[in-house]
Amino acid sequence: MAKANLFYAQSGGVTAVINASACGVIETARQHKAEIGKVYAGRNGIIGALTEELIDTSKETAATVAALRHTPAGAFGSCRYKLKSLEDNRAEYQRLMDVFRAHNIRYFLYNGGGDSQDTANKVSMLSQKEGFPITCIGIPKTVDNDLPVTDNCPGFGSVAKYVAVSIREAGLDVASMCESSTKVFVMEVMGRHAGWIAGAAGLAAEKEGDAPHIIIFPEIAFNKAAFMRKVKACVKRHGYCAVVVSEGAHYKDGKFLADAGGTDAFGHTQLGGVAPFLANLIKQELGYKYHWAVADYLQRSARHIASATDVEQAYAMGKAAVDFALAGKNAVMPTIVRKPGKSYRWTVGEASLAEVANVEKPMPRDYITRDGFGITQKARDYFSPLIRGEDYPPFKNGLPDYARLKNVLVTKKLPIWKAP
Amino acid sequence: MAKANLFYAQSGGVTAVINASACGVIETARQHKAEIGKVYAGRNGIIGALTEELIDTSKETAATVAALRHTPAGAFGSCRYKLKSLEDNRAEYQRLMDVFRAHNIRYFLYNGGGDSQDTANKVSMLSQKEGFPITCIGIPKTVDNDLPVTDNCPGFGSVAKYVAVSIREAGLDVASMCESSTKVFVMEVMGRHAGWIAGAAGLAAEKEGDAPHIIIFPEIAFNKAAFMRKVKACVKRHGYCAVVVSEGAHYKDGKFLADAGGTDAFGHTQLGGVAPFLANLIKQELGYKYHWAVADYLQRSARHIASATDVEQAYAMGKAAVDFALAGKNAVMPTIVRKPGKSYRWTVGEASLAEVANVEKPMPRDYITRDGFGITQKARDYFSPLIRGEDYPPFKNGLPDYARLKNVLVTKKLPIWKAP
């Protein structure tokens, strides 16, 4: 029998370091040519497996593969596509099996969040039943940091560093001008269900008076009166107020702040995000001149300011996934395990896919200050090591020199796939 | 007579490198202790001169002053405050004279844009008449890059680098996901009257298909139909479309796009900036899923990704201002002069304050492609050297370690200033 091939796919929202995991996968597989044939990557994630669009990574030079380590976003394409339950859409799983069989794929490495780990788990189970057993290994990835079991998720540390650096810099800007100009600055960050990213921005404040002064978490229902009191007190005391707000900020009844502003003149829901909404609310209530920023994709693609810890861990997760597969493990995901002790040390652990599938981990309540607007020392101790170290990409003509892949597709062997 | 003191003030919107100019001023002045007494900095810019809030920079250590070179925003505070004409508010100028006289200030170095150079020019003239001649030297600063005479303005190169890096990174993000998710990404950048910043973002696109695909300049009236056609063609061809829009984008009649969206349910003018407006317009017309970002202050304070060329020039301008003052020059501003030739070389030139006061320099038409949505090779040749080189600040615990000043005020000698 020909050597078994490996299929790697990126899933869901991309990050500054998901390609570092890809780099770990490909480089490690290339070191085990006796056991692993080719590494195929799904074009646009799992969709590429369904459509039989498999990228042959062996066509990429060692230098290009190495450059993936410093290249943000999904080099092979990713997608938001969740396979339905086996009962609802068995044909889709069957198609995966068919493609894997046709290309002698015996290893499936799925780089994503909780949904993806669920899918990988199901593929593993089904493949056993079908008599074409596929080794399924998850690789953790999410900027939201909401996967269980693992201490943190690759992708998070770099967003965390970006938002903390950004609010420190913008905070200095506002502080310089507040006497005669902008008094309130609101920065919106990602995190619809969990406030990890917003919380990490709190690292920027090291001394009394430093930005950010207020953080709004999705874990705490928004209390407008308390918020306004705090903004006012902050401007009185420090001359300005820098606010970090999670996109998932919501009222007690679960309604997002961003959705609360009604519709515009055309009857469309208000365009802005939560940052402009909140800034305007402050203007109405307190009269302060404001500015706001919405970093959106800038935050999760900011490879230029990636955390070295994050890059290292992303690579290690990719490498560990291949090592796990070669060691005969199945339906597991490597995790990051924080070792006890004062100085930060971590090691690679292991979780079953069943454990991590579809579970969301919110910020613990004791990471948030009692008033709900800041982070505790416990949170700082958790966040701080994750943003440590700089891992700058190479630059050319003043711009980061990111990998450009050939992304050559493997010749198809099956009929065209039609979604059932 | 005691040695003459020097007064330095920062004016208008701050930048990632205005403190590098301050560093150039203070370090150079400290090398000329025979000629220059103390360097006082205006607390919150020129307002500090009116209120007699003078920061004694001699209280800062050499290490702290050196750290200004890598610290963004205005370390002494800046302000948006334009002195009125001499006729309208002679008392204000008189007060400046009084404060300068009381503190034996014979040198006035004003670090700002066109307005500030106008003020410095007037102070120079008035001081001659008053018989207390003050040497007034301008130091160029503006992220907008709209000062005349000088080839470019300190502050601009770093914003330019930030926006080009950001749209390259976010572009890769969107490209990874466009098959099943976001198809259009709109990034709003600064520049109300001139499109230099928006134009510089165009450097990110080096090959056909690279982001950004469309740039909207304040120099070109917005043509909705042409824009929609271009967005549609771009999505068809490349799968996605990345747009950079200047905050000053406007219709033929001069109305800003950002103001065109009407009011929300409360009757307030729409909250969002031009990015959400444009993204929503595309959704309405073409149905594409979108994301948008507004970098706002993040872009002009992003010292972590400053251009080394910019930092060097900002420092050089500060140094040159002191050198000019010591050489007996007056009512002038150092400029950046681009030397002819293929490789980028520059030198320090000189402009009279009268020449630069209150003149705005828009992007030349031949920097913009014929269709109005991109930059020409001529623009690339101009922009490219300005973003070259990285000049990372030192980091501590994963975050940039920016200067913290003591900002000790000099004892006041005059009655409290009351604005007339």
Side-chain angles (χ1 to χ4, degrees):
Chain A
M1 196 181 83
K3 266 184 298 179
N5 297 317
L6 184 153
F7 177 72
Y8 165 81
Q10 303 182 321
S11 179
V14 294
T15 79
V17 302
I18 185 171
N19 287 332
S21 292
C23 177
V25 167
I26 300 169
E27 288 189 343
T28 310
R30 286 186 178 188
Q31 286 159 18
H32 295 276
K33 292 202 168 150
E35 298 99 325
I36 300 172
K38 294 211 170 188
V39 174
Y40 297 137
R43 187 174 172 215
N44 300 317
I46 197 75
I47 290 176
L50 291 170
T51 57
E52 205 190 351
E53 291 183 295
L54 308 178
I55 292 165
D56 184 353
T57 69
S58 74
K59 304 290 186 192
E60 310 293 346
T61 64
T64 300
V65 172
L68 284 175
R69 188 177 166 121
H70 64 246
T71 299
F76 311 108
S78 182
C79 65
R80 295 206 179 281
Y81 187 84
K82 192 184 174 179
L83 270 69
K84 297 209 183 79
S85 71
L86 262 172
E87 296 69 38
D88 287 345
N89 200 345
R90 194 175 179 97
E92 241 174 22
Y93 289 87
Q94 197 55 58
R95 170 70 178 188
L96 279 185
M97 293 294 115
D98 293 346
V99 172
F100 287 176
R101 205 185 302 251
H103 294 276
N104 193 31
I105 291 166
R106 295 280 191 160
Y107 304 105
F108 172 33
L109 270 53
Y110 206 18
N111 201 169
D115 280 4
S116 313
Q117 307 314 335
D118 184 45
T119 300
N121 196 32
K122 283 173 181 158
V123 171
S124 165
M125 290 187 289
L126 186 67
S127 71
Q128 308 285 338
K129 278 194 207 159
E130 296 275 317
F132 183 76
I134 292 166
T135 298
C136 296
I137 313 283
I139 305 172
K141 172 243 65 170
T142 158
V143 294
D144 293 328
N145 201 41
D146 58 357
L147 279 180
V149 191
T150 188
D151 179 67
N152 59 289
C153 300
F156 171 68
S158 294
V159 177
K161 189 180 185 92
Y162 174 93
V163 298
V165 169
S166 295
I167 196 66
R168 170 168 291 184
E169 292 179 332
L172 289 175
D173 188 309
V174 181
S176 325
M177 308 280 299
C178 64
E179 180 76 14
S180 61
S181 184
T182 303
K183 294 224 175 337
V184 173
F185 179 71
V186 183
M187 180 172 91
E188 176 176 331
V189 302
M190 287 180 157
R192 198 147 276 259
H193 304 293
W196 295 103
I197 296 176
L203 288 175
E206 286 175 345
K207 288 189 183 172
E208 158 72 11
D210 286 355
H213 307 98
I214 300 179
I215 302 172
I216 301 180
F217 300 95
E219 283 85 354
I220 308 281
F222 181 67
N223 178 336
K224 187 173 137 181
F227 173 70
M228 290 299 166
R229 276 197 302 275
K230 197 157 170 95
V231 170
K232 198 173 170 183
C234 180
V235 172
K236 275 205 169 165
R237 193 183 174 95
H238 306 297
Y240 75 110
C241 181
V243 179
V244 171
V245 59
S246 171
E247 60 180 339
H250 59 79
Y251 294 105
K252 222 177 193 171
D253 62 4
K255 205 170 175 183
F256 288 125
L257 267 63
D259 289 344
T263 53
D264 67 16
F266 305 112
H268 305 120
T269 301
Q270 187 181 282
L271 306 177
V274 58
F277 170 76
L278 214 54
N280 198 267
L281 204 64
I282 292 166
K283 173 79 181 169
Q284 284 168 43
E285 300 263 329
L286 305 172
Y288 296 134
K289 182 165 159 38
Y290 63 79
H291 262 245
W292 53 267
V294 176
D296 194 62
Y297 289 160
L298 271 49
Q299 69 199 284
R300 74 179 192 192
S301 62
R303 182 61 184 80
H304 74 273
I305 189 68
S307 149
T309 304
D310 193 30
V311 174
E312 200 185 319
Q313 292 177 339
Y315 184 92
M317 292 297 102
K319 179 184 185 307
V322 176
D323 290 341
F324 282 9
L326 292 173
K329 297 185 180 186
N330 187 23
V332 293
M333 179 189 89
T335 59
I336 297 157
V337 179
R338 189 183 293 235
K339 290 189 173 176
K342 269 218 136 182
S343 67
Y344 179 67
R345 287 171 314 134
W346 61 277
T347 184
V348 177
E350 183 183 328
S352 78
L353 293 181
E355 271 179 287
V356 292
N358 297 320
V359 181
E360 277 179 8
K361 181 177 71 177
M363 285 258 287
R365 185 58 184 88
D366 65 356
Y367 278 31
I368 301 171
T369 50
R370 225 169 119 187
D371 72 358
F373 293 123
I375 56 168
T376 60
Q377 188 56 45
K378 202 166 178 183
R380 285 179 188 282
D381 294 343
Y382 170 78
F383 287 129
S384 185
L386 307 182
I387 69 162
R388 297 261 174 98
E390 293 66 54
D391 186 313
Y392 301 116
F395 276 68
K396 198 175 148 187
N397 296 330
L399 287 167
D401 191 18
Y402 293 136
R404 288 186 191 261
L405 272 64
K406 293 193 211 99
N407 281 351
V408 179
L409 294 181
V410 175
T411 308
K412 294 187 183 185
K413 300 180 174 183
L414 297 176
I416 287 173
W417 163 246
K418 278 185 197 128
Chain B
M1 197 180 81
K3 265 185 298 180
N5 298 316
L6 184 154
F7 177 72
Y8 165 82
Q10 303 182 322
S11 179
V14 294
T15 80
V17 302
I18 185 171
N19 288 332
S21 292
C23 177
V25 167
I26 299 170
E27 289 190 343
T28 310
R30 285 186 179 188
Q31 286 159 18
H32 294 276
K33 292 203 168 150
E35 297 100 326
I36 299 171
K38 294 210 170 189
V39 174
Y40 296 135
R43 187 173 172 216
N44 301 317
I46 197 75
I47 289 176
L50 292 170
T51 57
E52 205 189 350
E53 291 183 295
L54 308 177
I55 292 165
D56 184 353
T57 69
S58 74
K59 304 290 186 193
E60 309 294 344
T61 65
T64 301
V65 171
L68 283 175
R69 188 176 167 120
H70 64 246
T71 299
F76 311 107
S78 182
C79 65
R80 295 208 179 281
Y81 188 85
K82 193 185 173 178
L83 269 70
K84 296 209 184 81
S85 70
L86 264 171
E87 296 69 37
D88 287 345
N89 200 343
R90 193 174 179 98
E92 242 174 22
Y93 288 88
Q94 197 54 58
R95 170 69 178 189
L96 280 185
M97 294 295 115
D98 292 347
V99 171
F100 287 175
R101 206 185 301 253
H103 294 276
N104 193 30
I105 292 166
R106 295 280 191 160
Y107 304 105
F108 172 34
L109 271 52
Y110 206 19
N111 201 169
D115 280 4
S116 312
Q117 308 314 337
D118 184 45
T119 300
N121 196 31
K122 283 175 181 156
V123 170
S124 165
M125 290 186 290
L126 187 69
S127 71
Q128 309 285 339
K129 278 195 207 157
E130 295 275 315
F132 184 76
I134 292 166
T135 299
C136 296
I137 313 282
I139 304 171
K141 172 243 66 170
T142 157
V143 294
D144 293 327
N145 201 41
D146 59 357
L147 278 180
V149 192
T150 187
D151 180 68
N152 60 287
C153 301
F156 170 67
S158 295
V159 177
K161 190 180 184 93
Y162 174 92
V163 298
V165 169
S166 295
I167 196 65
R168 169 167 291 182
E169 291 179 332
L172 290 174
D173 187 309
V174 181
S176 326
M177 307 281 298
C178 64
E179 181 75 15
S180 61
S181 182
T182 302
K183 294 225 176 336
V184 174
F185 179 71
V186 184
M187 180 173 90
E188 176 177 331
V189 302
M190 287 179 157
R192 198 148 276 260
H193 304 293
W196 296 103
I197 295 176
L203 288 174
E206 286 175 345
K207 288 189 184 172
E208 159 72 11
D210 285 355
H213 307 97
I214 300 179
I215 303 173
I216 302 180
F217 300 94
E219 283 85 355
I220 308 280
F222 181 66
N223 178 336
K224 187 174 138 182
F227 173 70
M228 289 300 165
R229 276 197 303 275
K230 197 156 170 97
V231 170
K232 199 174 171 184
C234 181
V235 171
K236 275 205 168 166
R237 193 181 174 97
H238 306 298
Y240 75 109
C241 182
V243 179
V244 171
V245 59
S246 170
E247 60 179 339
H250 58 79
Y251 294 105
K252 222 176 193 170
D253 63 3
K255 205 169 175 183
F256 287 125
L257 268 63
D259 289 345
T263 53
D264 66 16
F266 305 113
H268 305 119
T269 301
Q270 189 179 280
L271 305 177
V274 59
F277 170 76
L278 214 53
N280 198 266
L281 204 63
I282 293 167
K283 173 80 181 167
Q284 283 169 43
E285 300 263 329
L286 305 171
Y288 296 134
K289 182 166 158 40
Y290 65 78
H291 261 245
W292 54 267
V294 176
D296 195 63
Y297 289 159
L298 271 49
Q299 69 199 284
R300 75 178 192 193
S301 63
R303 182 60 184 82
H304 73 273
I305 190 66
S307 149
T309 304
D310 193 30
V311 174
E312 201 185 317
Q313 292 178 339
Y315 185 91
M317 293 296 102
K319 179 183 183 310
V322 176
D323 290 340
F324 281 10
L326 292 174
K329 297 184 180 188
N330 187 23
V332 293
M333 179 188 89
T335 61
I336 297 158
V337 179
R338 189 184 293 234
K339 290 188 175 178
K342 268 218 136 182
S343 68
Y344 179 67
R345 289 172 311 135
W346 61 277
T347 183
V348 177
E350 183 182 327
S352 77
L353 292 181
E355 272 180 288
V356 292
N358 295 322
V359 182
E360 277 180 8
K361 181 176 71 177
M363 285 257 287
R365 185 59 186 85
D366 65 356
Y367 278 31
I368 302 172
T369 51
R370 225 169 120 187
D371 74 357
F373 292 124
I375 56 169
T376 59
Q377 188 56 46
K378 202 166 177 182
R380 284 178 188 283
D381 294 343
Y382 171 78
F383 287 130
S384 185
L386 307 182
I387 70 162
R388 298 262 174 96
E390 292 66 56
D391 186 312
Y392 300 117
F395 276 68
K396 198 175 149 186
N397 297 330
L399 287 167
D401 191 18
Y402 293 135
R404 288 186 190 259
L405 272 64
K406 293 192 211 101
N407 280 352
V408 179
L409 295 180
V410 175
T411 308
K412 294 187 184 185
K413 298 180 175 181
L414 297 176
I416 288 172
W417 164 246
K418 278 185 197 129

